[in-house]
Amino acid sequence: MNRAQVVLVPPSSIGPAGGSEALGLTRIVRANGVDAVRRIEIVSGLPQLLFERVLGHEIGHGFLAGCPDVPRTHAEVEGTCEMISSWWLHHRDNPFARQLLKSMRESPDPVYGGGYRLMRSAVDGQPVAEIVRRIRSGARIV
């Protein structure tokens, strides 16, 4: 079993991502040909729902690290992680969650926003369990 530590860190320890400051980072190590999440870092001081959104995204990176290594573009990886984060937000029915989802859908960033839209359109209407099963089996989504 892989155990990962989730820690709060100052923004300066993570750096930029996608043209803006990153709010989270998943540190993955490779040992004996297997990837394992060792640490998830999230910027301290975030409102709870934003923290949860970032944690959901970073958990997506951890999930992908444990799946078969298939070729994925950067947009597919980040889009998958954004999609996983959106699943959590959809269950947090409040105005801030809706605003976060809207900003994800409308993000002009080609990797994060474009990747999210790419992945959402590729899985439109499919049950979450089926999407997870496909990714875990090594199937390409796009």
Side-chain angles (χ1 to χ4, degrees):
M1 174 169 40
N2 182 30
R3 295 188 183 266
Q5 182 182 38
V6 177
V7 296
L8 299 176
V9 298
S12 60
S13 71
I14 294 181
S20 62
E21 286 299 311
L23 298 177
L25 177 68
T26 301
R27 298 202 182 268
I28 298 171
V29 295
R30 187 167 194 83
N32 300 322
V34 177
D35 289 340
V37 176
R38 286 294 167 230
R39 180 175 161 121
I40 294 175
E41 299 173 358
I42 299 179
V43 168
S44 61
L46 300 177
Q48 179 178 337
L49 193 58
L50 184 54
F51 169 86
E52 292 169 1
R53 181 240 185 283
V54 174
L55 181 59
H57 178 97
E58 298 308 323
I59 286 171
H61 284 292
F63 170 68
L64 288 174
C67 293
D69 192 17
V70 298
R72 291 183 180 95
T73 66
H74 191 49
E76 287 175 286
V77 169
E78 296 302 340
T80 300
C81 295
E82 289 288 85
M83 184 175 61
I84 290 169
S85 179
S86 77
W87 295 340
W88 176 255
L89 291 174
H90 280 291
H91 293 290
R92 308 291 287 175
D93 189 29
N94 67 51
F96 188 37
R98 288 188 290 277
Q99 179 58 41
L100 289 171
L101 284 164
K102 181 177 188 265
S103 70
M104 291 166 70
R105 283 190 310 269
E106 297 176 357
S107 170
D109 185 278
V111 173
Y112 290 84
Y116 176 65
R117 290 184 293 275
L118 173 72
M119 297 308 294
R120 291 298 301 177
S121 68
V123 301
D124 188 37
Q126 295 178 36
V128 170
E130 175 60 18
I131 299 164
V132 169
R133 185 200 63 73
R134 287 177 58 202
I135 294 170
R136 288 183 81 184
S137 73
R140 297 276 323 271
I141 298 299
V142 201

